[in-house]
Amino acid sequence: MKNKLLRNWGLKLCSFLIAAVLWLIVTNINDPVGTFRVYNVPVVLQNTDLITNSGQVYEVLDHTDVIDVVTIQAKRSIIDSLDESNIIAVADVNELTNLNTVAIKLSTNKYNDKLESIRGNIDNVKLNIEAEKTKTLPLRAVTIGTVKEGYMVGDISTEQNLIEITGPESVISQVKRATVTVNVSGFTNNIGTDSPIRLYDENDKIIDVDSIVKNINKVRVTVEILELKTVDINWKSTGIPGRGYMATGEIQAGRNSVTIAGRSKAIANINSIDIPEAVLDITGAAESLETIVDLTDYLPDGVILAEEDFKGRVNVTVVVEPVVERVASISPDRIQIVNVPEGFNVEIDMEDDAHDITLVGLESDLNELDLSTIQATVDIAALMEKEGLISMSAGHYTADLTYSLENNAVTVRDTSGISLIITEAE
């Protein structure tokens, strides 16, 4: 029996090896080893509170928290049962190195022990770790675009006027302002909208990084849209200048019209801005009154000035000049006699060919006055009343003259009166 078992042992060993090889070939043909690739696999960072609890913040560098390609080798039967949801990539901050890197560990949530291999194109998550900083900024609202012609932007308000930001000190230190922007193109009515808050550096470049945490990301903004209207400014003065002086009637102002803005109802009935006379009071003045008038003091409620470079202050001058006297003569042919009683004749008794009068007024008015246009009148009825006469009787009388001048700003001073000879008609 023993001899039979040992007989042809070499042939038997060869047969066994051939059988084993055939078994392996058959097995591999039925379930061969294959390769499976998954792209853009996110890496889960674990125990990050070890950083944040120490008053620091971290930032992932170079997008190393995403593995571009994970390659798995396993038998075909295993690979066919896997998809991208089965890939697990973790990096435990407990294993943070001095270079601020954390090793990535790859696995699958099933058949992990049956994989030939699993590897990614990167092995570590790179972190930037630094001190955390919090900063509070005023919130500014601005507009872009242009409202409809005839309108302007009024007040802009936000429900909150401060924002708090937290993040890496190096990033937070770059933030210089926080702004919300509202597009007003074509609007004629008030705007209310929720606008995102944007952060800017000192060069007005937007800072948009995930490492900054805002306490609010949007804010309610209200933009007032006002209608425009251009109206006149009415200037008036009051008072009598000092003795020997007179107002020329001229008011010199830096502007005589202004553009205002308000809600349509507020400005609909406004046709002018009327400055009270008391503002330009020249009582007792011996020279021109020069003053500054602030128009904002005289705007109705709900109305504002609409010119960007004009704040409402206007230089105003009420012109006051000295009174001038000038002697002039009137010939008898320019003296009219009226209300002569029936049965009487009246003649002017002049030793000279003319009657002298004194003209009083501003030099400019006197220079413009045409002396030939001065008309004088003698009223016999007024003379009789002055003399207490019930009926006229012949004789010599001195009567007052009344004068008519083209320029009412010039007056006549005549204290002498004119001599008359009154006789009974034949």
Side-chain angles (χ1 to χ4, degrees), residues 169-378:
E169 183 175 13
S170 61
V171 178
I172 296 299
S173 298
Q174 296 178 38
V175 179
K176 300 304 178 184
R177 62 183 179 88
T179 301
V180 290
T181 303
V182 178
N183 191 331
V184 299
S185 297
F187 276 86
T188 60
N189 295 312
N190 290 355
I191 303 171
T193 185
D194 293 323
S195 296
I197 300 171
R198 293 186 173 88
L199 306 177
Y200 294 83
D201 64 13
E202 60 183 5
N203 297 317
D204 286 336
K205 292 183 178 179
I206 293 179
I207 299 176
D208 186 12
V209 293
D210 294 337
S211 58
I212 295 180
V213 178
K214 308 182 188 83
N215 67 326
I216 52 173
N217 292 303
K218 290 186 176 182
V219 69
R220 187 72 176 175
V221 185
T222 300
V223 180
E224 185 181 41
I225 306 298
L226 304 175
E227 187 175 352
L228 300 176
K229 189 175 187 179
T230 299
V231 296
D232 292 334
I233 306 170
N234 289 333
W235 304 101
K236 293 182 180 180
S237 63
T238 188
I240 298 175
R243 185 174 182 180
Y245 293 88
M246 182 183 296
T248 67
E250 180 183 9
I251 299 178
Q252 301 169 352
R255 59 167 56 225
N256 292 304
S257 65
V258 65
T259 301
I260 58 175
R263 301 300 299 273
S264 298
K265 290 182 179 180
I267 67 173
N269 296 321
I270 300 176
N271 297 311
S272 64
I273 304 299
D274 300 323
I275 307 304
E277 294 181 356
V279 175
L280 303 176
D281 189 350
I282 56 174
T283 300
E287 60 182 6
S288 295
L289 171 67
E290 297 181 0
T291 187
I292 296 176
V293 177
D294 190 343
L295 296 183
T296 59
D297 293 337
Y298 308 103
L299 295 177
D301 291 340
V303 176
I304 63 172
L305 298 176
E307 299 172 39
E308 184 176 355
D309 298 327
F310 177 57
K311 305 303 180 184
R313 295 171 64 82
V314 181
N315 293 316
V316 183
T317 300
V318 182
V319 181
V320 174
E321 294 180 356
V323 171
V324 176
E325 295 183 356
R326 186 172 297 172
V327 176
S329 297
I330 298 179
S331 59
D333 61 343
R334 282 190 282 131
I335 300 176
Q336 181 181 13
I337 301 174
V338 297
N339 295 323
V340 177
E342 186 177 354
F344 288 88
N345 294 321
V346 180
E347 296 181 5
I348 298 174
D349 183 14
M350 278 190 181
E351 294 182 0
D352 300 319
D353 293 335
H355 178 71
D356 291 337
I357 59 174
T358 300
L359 301 174
V360 180
L362 299 173
E363 185 172 9
S364 58
D365 291 330
L366 292 176
N367 290 338
E368 293 177 358
L369 181 64
D370 183 358
L371 298 180
S372 65
T373 63
I374 299 175
Q375 295 293 326
T377 301
V378 176

Side-chain angles (χ1 to χ4, degrees), residues 31-48:
D31 198 6
V33 174
T35 300
F36 174 47
R37 290 184 177 87
V38 179
Y39 299 93
N40 299 321
V41 176
V43 179
V44 177
L45 281 171
Q46 297 177 332
N47 297 314
T48 55

